[in-house]
Amino acid sequence: MAVKICERIGICKVDTDGNIVELQREFFSQGWVFKDWEAFQNRPDAPCYVPELDDAVYTRHDFMALCNGQEEIAEELFYEVDWQSPSTLMNDWEIAGEIDTCGKCGKLFMAYNVKKCPHCGADVPEE
């Protein structure tokens, strides 16, 4: 079943220090979150995600930092996160072998059924 991409789920307003002044989560996919696709795409310092179980506010810059500055991985992470913290989802991907870091070039890549690093072509060791 395809998930409908909305422009925004819920409300999150922060003050100039990044502290939440208003937060309203709505149900999305598997949990109650704030998620703003437009902010993620167009306003890198604006809140774009607040997970279900804590009040941590994430911006596009935060997703980029978690993903070694790699835009394609950050976008995948943002689109896939649906209740948990982004770092928890990254950890789940690592445990499941869905994401890896190339030992040669140091870049992240989605690793499911990948035999060579898509960035530098180095062989990916089988586990």
Side-chain angles (χ1 to χ4, degrees):
M1 174 163 74
V3 175
K4 181 182 175 192
I5 302 297
C6 302
E7 191 168 307
R8 184 178 65 223
I9 301 290
I11 297 169
C12 181
K13 295 180 182 175
V14 296
D15 62 20
T16 56
D17 295 324
N19 300 311
I20 295 173
V21 295
E22 181 181 357
L23 178 61
Q24 179 181 355
R25 292 178 175 94
E26 293 180 13
F27 189 77
F28 172 72
S29 191
Q30 295 190 66
W32 292 85
V33 300
F34 163 75
K35 191 167 184 176
D36 188 336
W37 286 263
E38 188 278 327
F40 179 81
Q41 289 298 327
N42 301 312
R43 295 179 285 127
D45 293 319
C48 64
Y49 184 72
V50 177
E52 180 175 81
L53 300 177
D54 69 37
D55 290 343
V57 176
Y58 293 87
T59 67
R60 180 182 181 90
H61 286 305
D62 297 320
F63 278 86
M64 291 293 287
L66 282 168
C67 298
N68 199 25
Q70 293 176 243
E71 190 169 345
E72 68 279 2
I73 302 292
E75 287 179 357
E76 182 78 17
L77 182 63
F78 177 77
Y79 288 111
E80 293 296 323
V81 74
D82 60 4
W83 70 271
Q84 68 281 68
S85 76
S87 58
T88 298
L89 183 54
M90 283 285 285
N91 189 49
D92 290 348
W93 284 354
E94 289 170 358
I95 291 168
E98 295 178 31
I99 196 165
D100 201 354
T101 302
C102 178
K104 183 176 179 184
C105 70
K107 290 195 173 193
L108 294 168
F109 61 93
M110 301 310 288
Y112 189 71
N113 285 332
V114 173
K115 306 249 187 267
K116 293 190 177 286
C117 172
H119 304 287
C120 71
D123 290 332
V124 174
E126 292 186 32
E127 295 196 16

